[in-house]
Amino acid sequence: YEESAFSNWKFISLAPENMVFSEFITARFWFIVIVCLVLLIGVAFIIILINKNYKPIRNLAQISEKLWKDETSNDELETVYNSINHLNSLNTELKNQVHDSEYAIKEYLLFQLLNGKITSMEEWNAKGKAINVQFTKPLFCVACIYIKNYKSSVFPELIAFVEKSLPVEVEGYIRDNTEF
C-alpha cells in the first residue's frame, strides 16, 4: 500500500506472489546451483590432489612394511621413517665392516690382479671403489721387492709409508706376498 500525501487515502495494490518474488526465486535457484557446482568441483579437485600426493607415500609405506615389520605403528610416515632409520643403521654397519676389512680386501684384489683374475682397469676400479683403491692413470706396472729379514709386525706400517711416499704422477699399491 501507499498513502497519498494530498488526500490521505491509502492505495493498496495486490499482485500474485510468484510474480513479485520470481526474480528472487530465480536468483536463489541459480545461487544454490552455483554453490553446489563449486562444492562438487572443489571436492573433486581435493580428491585428485589427495590421491596424487598420498600415492607416493602409500607406495613408500608398502615397501617399508616389507622391509620393516613394525606392529606398533599405524602411521605410514612413521613406518617409512622407521624403515629408513633401520636401513641407515644397516648401511652404517656395513660401511664399518668394509672399513674394518679394507686391508684384507685390498690384499685380495691385488692377489686377483697379479694372478690375472682381473683383466681390465674398469673391473679393478669397480671392485676397488668401496675401499678407495683405484687406478686413475692410464698405465701401471708391477714391481716385486724382496726385503730380507724384515719384521712382519712392522710391514703394514712400511706398506702405508711407501704408498704415501710415491710421487704424484705414480699410483701404487703394495701387497705382502711372503708366500714366495
Side-chain angles (χ1 to χ4, degrees):
Y1 75 91
E2 196 167 321
E3 193 173 327
S4 170
F6 181 68
S7 65
N8 288 333
W9 284 22
K10 292 183 183 175
F11 297 96
I12 298 174
S13 61
L14 299 173
E17 189 176 297
N18 59 353
M19 187 178 104
V20 173
F21 291 112
S22 66
E23 287 184 31
F24 175 74
I25 292 171
T26 305
R28 183 178 68 178
F29 172 76
W30 284 112
F31 177 76
I32 291 171
V33 167
I34 290 172
V35 166
C36 289
L37 281 175
V38 167
L39 283 174
L40 287 174
I41 290 171
V43 167
F45 189 66
I46 288 170
I47 289 171
I48 290 169
L49 287 178
I50 286 174
N51 282 332
K52 181 178 168 99
N53 290 326
Y54 181 67
K55 192 174 186 176
I57 295 172
R58 187 175 9 160
N59 291 342
L60 280 174
Q62 289 171 348
I63 292 169
S64 296
E65 286 173 359
K66 290 177 187 175
L67 294 173
W68 176 253
K69 302 283 186 199
D70 187 11
E71 304 298 328
T72 61
S73 172
N74 291 334
D75 184 13
E76 286 89 359
L77 290 176
E78 190 175 331
T79 303
V80 170
Y81 176 78
N82 288 339
S83 64
I84 288 174
N85 275 342
H86 177 69
L87 289 175
N88 185 38
S89 65
L90 288 177
N91 187 36
T92 303
E93 187 178 317
L94 266 171
K95 281 183 181 179
N96 289 339
Q97 287 176 356
V98 167
H99 180 70
D100 291 344
S101 57
E102 277 182 9
Y103 184 77
I105 294 170
K106 180 180 146 193
E107 289 288 315
Y108 176 72
L109 286 176
L110 287 168
F111 181 74
Q112 281 190 319
L113 179 68
L114 292 172
N115 287 323
K117 304 283 191 225
I118 298 177
T119 57
S120 70
M121 193 179 298
E122 291 80 20
E123 183 182 2
W124 167 267
N125 287 339
K127 289 183 176 185
K129 185 176 184 179
I131 60 168
N132 202 25
V133 176
Q134 296 180 311
F135 290 125
T136 58
K137 311 284 192 266
L139 300 173
F140 57 90
C141 70
V142 176
C144 294
I145 301 172
Y146 176 74
I147 302 174
K148 188 175 182 179
N149 297 329
Y150 76 94
K151 293 180 182 177
S152 61
S153 62
V154 180
F155 201 68
E157 295 168 7
L158 179 64
I159 288 174
F161 174 75
V162 172
E163 285 180 351
K164 288 181 178 148
S165 299
L166 292 173
V168 177
E169 59 274 353
V170 176
E171 288 177 310
Y173 302 105
I174 298 174
R175 179 178 185 276
D176 181 8
N177 201 10
T178 56
E179 298 92 42
F180 292 123

